[in-house]
Amino acid sequence: MSKATEEKDTKNATLVDVAKTAGVSVSTAARVLRNSGYPVDQKLKERVNAAAKAVGYVPNLVARRLRGGKQGVVGLVIGDMLDSHYGIIAESVTKRAETAHSTFAIVCNMQRDPLLEIKYLRKLLEYRVDGIILAGGGFDQWTHRDALAETVDELNRAGTIVASLMPRNIEVPVFSADNEAIGITKANFIVQNGHTKIGILLGPARNDMTKQRMQAMTSHLSGYMVDYAIANIDSTPEAGALGAAEMLARNPDFSALICGSDAIAFGAISYLRGEGIDIPGRISVMGLGNTRLATLCTPALTTVEMNFDRAGSAALDFITSHDASAVSMPGEVISHSLVVRDSFARLNGPAEPGAEDTQHVGVTIS
């Protein structure tokens, strides 16, 4: 095979090649392949599509984006693929992208590393995606905040819409539950069940979401003479187990353990039961998120439903229906509710466990 033949065989097919093979004009080939809605004879469409397949034509989406069009591609940056609540978000975004918007979603796993998050954002900028959803959490969000803000500004200038599923102290629309209201919901439940000595295992301290929940919860508890000890740990089951051990050593008489995620609670329950501690008879445990881990716990975990799937879908809907000039919009507050199961008890008797799918206690805040 000659060098000229090799070059011809490996060259990317163009719209001109499709038009020539189909025996139509370039403009007609473009209309057919764009599905523009321009009236074209059905047999002609079939001929163009067959020609595109024959020559191996693939649309250059980046070039289309540079010409001012949309690619139909969004980016989703999640915190940790091993954490079930990110799985909920990824499933809801990818499914809705396909079924409601004919959009392709690229999922990036930042592994709770803020520098990797920024790296992925810059990679997605290179691909000129239409929008990006920030769904990372459970890590230090303050140290590299300025670098993140600078990257987001660059994305916005390029016409890429950025939305977040948590407060990040940057100018982007946020689609999230009210974190202060969640803190108050948890505090009310603690008080209603008669607990006056509690341990609190939260995610990393340098995190706006964690800070908002903690301040609201502890401020509310202070009005009811509730003693509490706080530990900031990683948002993993392994950290939850270590945190529970430390809390028990420091405060052996606490009656409830309030956790910043279902993953932390899962690890804490595993450790406490391994030590022969009755849950909820001796220590009640509460999580956050209502992920699959909540029902895999033994006993089943009392937690807060945060509707991660609704948040992800709302952010995607926003991105696909707006342009870059809309980034100043505030986003949407996603409702939350308390889900009572078997891991939490009243001190004067067990709390009524909730049916997994229907029993929600407390006011839904939206």
Side-chain angles (χ1 to χ4, degrees):
M1 183 181 291
S2 68
K3 182 177 179 181
T5 303
E6 286 182 355
E7 288 178 351
K8 182 178 180 181
D9 288 345
T10 57
K11 178 186 175 184
N12 291 330
T14 67
L15 198 57
V16 173
D17 298 323
V18 176
K20 184 177 180 180
T21 302
V24 300
S25 68
V26 173
S27 59
T28 297
R31 291 187 188 112
V32 172
L33 296 175
R34 276 203 312 264
N35 293 314
S36 65
Y38 188 88
V40 178
D41 180 76
Q42 183 60 35
K43 289 185 178 180
L44 193 59
K45 286 183 181 179
E46 292 173 0
R47 194 161 82 233
V48 171
N49 286 322
K53 185 175 181 180
V55 301
Y57 173 76
V58 177
N60 188 332
L61 296 180
V62 173
R64 180 188 300 174
R65 181 70 163 79
L66 291 173
R67 290 194 300 267
K70 286 192 173 184
Q71 287 201 67
V73 180
V74 297
L76 171 65
V77 183
I78 61 172
D80 184 352
M81 199 169 284
L82 298 179
D83 191 323
S84 57
H85 101 255
Y86 294 114
I88 295 172
I89 294 169
E91 181 180 23
S92 68
V93 170
T94 54
K95 182 182 292 186
R96 188 160 184 82
E98 175 65 27
T99 59
H101 300 293
S102 298
T103 297
F104 177 67
I106 300 173
V107 182
C108 303
N109 180 25
M110 62 170 282
Q111 304 170 49
R112 303 188 193 276
D113 181 346
L115 291 178
L116 189 55
E117 177 184 44
I118 293 169
K119 178 181 177 179
Y120 283 148
L121 291 180
R122 294 196 173 279
K123 282 290 183 183
L124 291 169
L125 172 61
E126 292 175 8
Y127 282 98
R128 295 297 195 270
V129 296
D130 301 325
I132 298 174
I133 300 173
L134 301 176
F139 64 97
D140 173 5
Q141 296 179 345
W142 296 357
T143 300
H144 302 287
R145 182 266 169 195
D146 290 346
L148 174 64
E150 180 181 332
T151 303
V152 169
D153 286 343
E154 190 174 349
L155 284 159
N156 288 335
R157 289 195 300 272
T160 299
I161 302 173
V162 182
S164 179
L165 303 190
M166 69 207 67
R168 296 293 299 272
N169 193 26
I170 54 177
E171 295 297 322
V172 297
V174 176
F175 298 81
S176 170
D178 184 331
N179 289 290
E180 292 183 357
I182 287 174
I184 294 172
T185 295
K186 298 183 88 169
N188 277 328
F189 187 68
I190 293 164
V191 171
Q192 289 166 5
N193 284 278
H195 293 274
T196 57
K197 294 184 178 180
I198 65 172
I200 303 174
L201 296 179
L202 296 174
R206 297 175 68 81
N207 183 296
D208 288 318
M209 188 165 53
T210 299
K211 178 182 176 182
Q212 290 176 7
R213 293 174 190 158
M214 178 195 67
Q215 289 181 340
M217 181 168 62
T218 55
S219 176
H220 194 78
L221 289 175
S222 65
Y224 293 90
M225 303 299 291
V226 175
D227 293 331
Y228 54 83
I230 299 174
N232 290 101
I233 61 176
D234 290 335
S235 298
T236 65
E238 295 79 9
L242 293 173
E246 179 185 350
M247 192 66 67
L248 195 61
R250 287 167 47 194
N251 307 277
D253 60 344
F254 73 90
S255 64
L257 189 60
I258 311 304
C259 300
S261 71
D262 287 348
I264 292 174
F266 185 89
I269 286 178
S270 296
Y271 170 79
L272 294 172
R273 293 188 72 232
E275 294 295 304
I277 295 172
D278 180 40
I279 300 170
R282 165 65 183 85
I283 297 176
S284 292
V285 180
M286 185 180 193
L288 180 70
N290 198 29
T291 64
R292 182 173 296 181
L293 288 178
T295 55
L296 292 177
C297 282
T298 303
L301 183 64
T302 290
T303 186
V304 175
E305 171 63 71
M306 292 186 63
N307 294 303
F308 296 122
D309 53 345
R310 286 174 50 190
S313 294
L316 179 65
D317 291 347
F318 173 82
I319 286 172
T320 56
S321 62
H322 291 76
D323 57 35
S325 64
V327 295
S328 59
M329 294 183 65
E332 180 181 338
V333 178
I334 306 299
S335 66
H336 76 272
S337 54
L338 185 63
V339 184
V340 179
R341 297 193 179 99
D342 298 328
S343 69
F344 212 93
R346 293 191 181 98
L347 288 189
N348 59 352
E352 294 264 342
E356 178 183 339
D357 294 326
T358 59
Q359 181 68 31
H360 292 263
V361 178
V363 178
T364 297
I365 302 173
S366 60

